[in-house]
Structure formats: structure tokens, C-alpha cells
Amino acid sequence: MREMIRLENLSKSFSGLEVIKNISFTLSEGEVLSIIGPSGSGKSTMLRIITQLERADNGTLTVDGMTMFHSEDGRAIYSKPEDLRKIGLKMGLVFQSFNLFPHFSVLRNITEAQRAVLRRDKAEAEEKAMLLLRKMGIEDKANQYPFQLSGGQQQRVSIARALALDPDMLFFDEPTSALDPELTREILKVIRELAEERMTMAVVTHEMHFAKAISDYAIFMDNGVIAEEGIPEELFGNPKEERTRKFIASFEE
Amino acid sequence: MQGLLMQMLEGTAVSLRIFFLTILFSLPLGFVVAKGRMTSISIIRWITDLYIQIMRGTPLILQLIFVYFAPYYIFGASYDRFTACIIAFVINYSAYFAEIYRSGLQSIDKGQYEAAKVLGFSRSYTFFHIVLPQVIKRILPALGNEVITLVKDTALAQTIGVSELFRVAQTASSRVFSTVPIFIAGVFYFVMNYIVSRLFSIFEKKLSYYR
């Protein structure tokens, strides 16, 4: 099976504080990985390193056969900028706070990168955008501006924006944490549909039932390490570690 | 009376030249200063900060005098009053514009940069197409304030002998023993600033299609 992400011995500190300690995992094509754990456990930082928003201190990361960084003399050595750019284009990221461009219409939010980065022409980019908006059930919002949309609609636009560049894998950084339960369901439905289409995904989430239902593999992070990992039935249904059990139980109230 | 109005219109033309030349140079220069103020190179940041502190911390009238007379005392060479006036206004207003730009740039959420980076936009594309339009919208009210102040500040150019509107009015006023010319000048300034503030409201309205 095609290995989309191979992360080995990643570590990262912020001003002396070690937030990720020697983490390794792999993500294969078509697989959905969920990453759970308390805030401050390093989940988001790990995702941000993979999507090049933060730099690794040490470790090796191979993305679909291309090396993003490798460990040498105890530090991460990054590959050359052209390679990093190519690797970046393989992935999409959906943020907790959407981060839509407020001055662009919904349509232009989705066409802008297609045109500026992938050099698609206007008609092609718009066709693609409309297709995705239809899939997200919000094609009637194409000409509106982000501030006119609900949080759930904004998040769907941001998913469409990421998908428009045809990434090989999609990452979600707490995509529903800024949404109320009803809007959360809208987004989870979209992610579930993507999972059914065998989109390769890694999702940082606090939605335990959802994570259990959609993922092929789950990781529980605590204090910068992977405290426990396994298939969701095991990790959620029968956790071995005390802290995993406590963490999952805290959502059951 | 007609002669007086003609003189005042000529004075207005000088004031407007000061105004437009200052805008022309200080708007872009202010951006360079803002960048210097925000750089990670501490020596540049320190120098630009000192420059801004001096420009904001001393009277413009003093800066005009300094810019015009300092070369004379240091090198014994004097130069054109109008040029000196433009230099003084430009270095003063660049400092103020720089602080406005900085406030605008720093108000942009870092999520905008992150989204742009993940989507593969280059740094310059991100700046010109994602960040700058949002900065302009946010700084427009502060910018409008500063530009209105500039219209009134042009009256200070008379300190180094530039015959702008206020100086013409004052001279006329003492010639005819009446404050009427000064009131007329007041009306002129008011009209100019009325146009400036209308223009700014039009810009603000144009950018009000998003939040």
C-alpha cells in the first residue's frame, strides 16, 4: 500500500519546553487516522509540522516517497524549497477557525489558489469550485462573502477550498471546535463522506464517537508522546492505558 | 478684493503642492519605515524606532526649521525653501503613516498567512492579494485623520518663508487692518478638508462589502 506519511522520531520544543517527544506513525493511502488527546498534548503541533506551518527540531518525515526532512546529527535537515513546495501541494489543511479570506466571495475563496498556484483558467477553476460547493450543499452561497455565512457553512467552504487543489491527503485541525453541536454534525457528515470516498485523512478531534466511527486507526497523545494507539474499536472500546481510559471517560458524562 | 482672492488662490496652489507632494512621497516611504520597525534585525528596528520617536516627539514647526537651517550651519550652504519644506513634511508624515501601517499589518490574523501558505501562495502573492487589501480597509479611518491633519499642517510651511495660503492671508490681513482674509483662508481649509473627508468616506463605503 502507498505510504502517504511516514513520520519517524519527531521532536519539537517551544522555547525549551518539549511539546513533541519522539513521535512516529504512518498513514497509508485511503486511510483515516484520528488523533485525540487533551489540549497541549502536541496534536496540533504535529499536524502543523507536517503541513509546514512549524519546523521540526528532529526526526524524519517522508511524504508519498519524498523526504520533507530527515534527521542528521540530532537535528531535522529540511529538503530544498522546490521539494518542500511540491510536498506542500500534496496536502490540504482545514483549520479550527476556518481562516477564509474575508475580502473574497465564497467562489473566489475556492478559485484563487487554483488560478494563482495551479494556473488553471477562470472557467475551469469556477467549474471545479461549483462542483465542490454543490457537494458541500452550499452552491447557493457562491456569490456571498464569508461573514454572511454560518460557521458550519464557512467550514464547508474551507474544506472545498482545500479540496479544489486536488490534494492527495487532507488534514483537519479540530475542525468542529468552533462550532455548536448542530453545525458540528454538518461538518462531520462532510468528513464522513470524504472517508467513504477513500480520501486519505488525519483528523485532530474531540469528537470521540465520530473518531471511533470513521477512522481506520487512532492515536491518543498525551504530554507530547503517543500514549496509546490502535484500531478504534480497541482504543475507544477497550483502552489499555489508565490515562487513555480517563480521557475517553471524560467525554461520556 | 479681487486681487486679494487671486493672491489667496495662488497661496492655496502652494499649499496643495505641499499636500500632494507630501502624500506622494510619504505614503510609500511610510511603508518602508513600518517594515523597518517590524524587522527582526534589531539594529534596524532600533534606528527606525528612534526615528519615529523623534518625528512624533518634536514639533513639526521645529523640524521644518531644522531641515531648512541645519545645512546652512553645518555646511554653510543654503538651499530652496520649498524643497526643505517638502523634505520636512515627508520625513515627519512617513513616521506617522508607518505607525498606521504597522497597526494595520499587526491586526491581520496569523491564520490568514497560514491559510495562504498551506494553499501554496507565494509570499508576495499573499501580501498583495490577501493581506494588503484587508490592511487598507482597516487603516482607512486612521489614514483619513492623518491626511486631514496634513491639510492644516501645510500652514506651518510659512515658518521657513514658503508663501502658502495662511501666510498670504496673514500678510493681507495686516495690510488691510482686518481679519477677513484669515477667515477666508479658514473657509478654504474647510472646503479642502471637506473634499478629503468625503473622498475617504467613499473609499470606506467601497470597501464595506465585507467584514
Side-chain angles (χ1 to χ4, degrees):
Chain A
M1 199 155 19
R2 189 165 152 207
E3 217 168 55
M4 303 309 275
I5 297 283
R6 167 172 283 278
L7 181 66
E8 292 163 287
N9 308 319
L10 174 70
S11 58
K12 169 79 181 171
S13 303
F14 285 116
S15 44
L17 184 74
E18 213 176 4
V19 291
I20 292 180
K21 304 162 193 162
N22 224 21
I23 279 187
S24 307
F25 75 85
T26 59
L27 178 64
S28 299
E29 187 178 19
E31 200 176 59
V32 179
L33 169 73
S34 55
I35 303 159
I36 60 167
S39 358
S41 58
K43 316 178 295 287
S44 291
T45 305
M46 184 174 73
L47 221 51
R48 291 169 58 83
I49 288 171
I50 296 172
T51 51
Q52 304 185 47
L53 292 175
E54 304 280 357
R55 282 180 89 83
D57 291 345
N58 193 9
T60 298
L61 174 57
T62 314
V63 179
D64 193 16
M66 290 179 79
T67 304
M68 185 191 289
F69 54 83
H70 67 277
S71 178
E72 212 175 286
D73 302 328
R75 349 187 263 124
I77 306 292
Y78 274 78
S79 303
K80 52 182 193 293
E82 306 99 88
D83 288 349
L84 295 180
R85 206 177 147 69
K86 269 186 210 142
I87 292 170
L89 284 173
K90 291 174 181 289
M91 10 179 128
L93 175 64
V94 174
F95 299 85
Q96 177 181 343
S97 49
F98 329 135
N99 295 338
L100 293 177
F101 304 127
H103 57 309
F104 290 159
S105 68
V106 164
L107 187 70
R108 188 149 173 217
N109 262 283
I110 306 172
T111 55
E112 192 76 2
Q114 294 188 65
R115 301 198 59 200
V117 179
L118 300 185
R119 305 266 163 227
R120 287 182 185 152
D121 65 39
K122 192 173 184 215
E124 190 190 355
E126 287 186 351
E127 193 184 332
K128 177 94 187 175
M130 287 313 295
L131 191 85
L132 287 163
L133 284 174
R134 218 165 292 136
K135 190 169 161 184
M136 299 289 149
I138 45 172
E139 70 261 54
D140 55 323
K141 305 291 180 197
N143 294 315
Q144 300 212 300
Y145 284 83
F147 79 93
Q148 296 168 305
L149 273 53
S150 73
Q153 290 165 341
Q154 290 191 47
Q155 192 59 298
R156 278 183 277 171
V157 174
S158 94
I159 295 171
R161 181 176 70 173
L163 289 172
L165 301 179
D166 297 318
D168 295 319
M169 62 204 100
L170 196 52
F171 299 109
F172 293 86
D173 189 3
E174 301 194 24
T176 61
S177 294
L179 303 173
D180 64 35
E182 195 182 344
L183 300 180
T184 294
R185 271 197 297 281
E186 290 178 8
I187 298 307
L188 297 185
K189 184 168 160 271
V190 171
I191 301 175
R192 192 188 301 263
E193 282 164 10
L194 289 170
E196 280 159 13
E197 293 166 22
R198 309 309 296 160
M199 181 80 197
T200 310
M201 295 189 285
V203 187
V204 169
T205 183
H206 289 300
E207 299 291 329
M208 295 301 142
H209 291 290
F210 167 74
K212 187 179 173 186
I214 65 150
S215 45
D216 302 298
Y217 201 75
I219 287 175
F220 171 65
M221 279 179 75
D222 191 25
N223 265 323
V225 297
I226 295 180
E228 189 168 348
E229 60 185 301
I231 56 168
E233 290 75 13
E234 285 293 315
L235 190 85
F236 294 98
N238 185 24
K240 286 172 192 60
E241 297 284 328
E242 178 61 23
R243 46 184 171 171
T244 319
R245 204 155 37 230
K246 269 192 178 151
F247 180 73
I248 291 169
S250 68
F251 287 87
E252 300 297 338
E253 284 141 26
Chain B
M1 188 66 189
Q2 219 173 10
L4 172 69
L5 270 180
M6 273 316 288
Q7 282 173 0
M8 291 188 72
L9 283 174
E10 276 166 32
T12 306
V14 174
S15 296
L16 286 173
R17 271 177 68 205
I18 300 171
F19 174 79
F20 282 114
L21 287 170
T22 304
I23 292 285
L24 180 72
F25 292 114
S26 61
L27 277 181
L29 208 61
F31 190 77
V32 177
V33 178
K35 275 302 204 189
R37 181 73 178 70
M38 291 162 72
T39 179
S40 53
I41 307 163
S42 53
I43 178 79
I44 294 178
R45 200 172 58 238
W46 188 81
I47 292 170
T48 29
D49 186 46
L50 182 70
Y51 158 71
I52 290 170
Q53 294 305 332
I54 292 171
M55 289 301 137
R56 297 201 306 178
T58 61
L60 175 55
I61 194 165
L62 188 151
Q63 293 164 20
L64 274 158
I65 293 168
F66 182 84
V67 167
Y68 183 53
F69 290 105
Y72 177 74
Y73 286 110
I74 298 168
F75 309 110
S78 62
Y79 66 124
D80 178 43
R81 295 160 194 280
F82 188 77
T83 310
C85 157
I86 297 302
I87 292 172
F89 271 92
V90 167
I91 59 171
N92 178 277
Y93 271 82
S94 297
Y96 280 97
F97 288 141
E99 286 296 276
I100 293 175
Y101 294 151
R102 185 170 69 91
S103 73
L105 284 166
Q106 289 177 341
S107 77
I108 300 299
D109 188 71
K110 79 179 199 324
Q112 293 287 302
Y113 293 94
E114 293 183 347
K117 174 154 201 297
V118 172
L119 290 169
F121 292 123
S122 67
R123 284 179 61 152
S124 72
Y125 196 92
T126 302
F127 179 73
F128 286 107
H129 294 84
I130 308 294
V131 175
L132 191 60
Q134 297 183 55
V135 168
I136 290 172
K137 179 185 167 82
R138 289 195 194 175
I139 65 173
L140 222 42
L143 219 49
N145 239 335
E146 210 50 49
V147 172
I148 284 171
T149 305
L150 172 60
V151 171
K152 295 178 287 181
D153 274 354
T154 56
L156 294 173
Q158 63 168 308
T159 329
I160 55 169
V162 175
S163 298
E164 45 63 57
L165 174 60
F166 201 73
R167 182 186 171 96
V168 171
Q170 264 185 321
T171 313
S173 173
S174 50
R175 197 172 55 230
V176 298
F177 294 110
S178 157
T179 49
V180 171
I182 290 183
F183 283 118
I184 296 174
V187 173
F188 279 31
Y189 284 113
F190 178 81
V191 170
M192 286 190 271
N193 268 334
Y194 187 77
I195 295 168
V196 169
S197 74
R198 292 323 304 169
L199 281 175
F200 270 91
S201 351
I202 290 169
F203 293 147
E204 279 179 43
K205 224 184 210 122
K206 257 185 141 42
L207 292 178
S208 67
Y209 67 89
Y210 74 91
R211 268 176 229 154

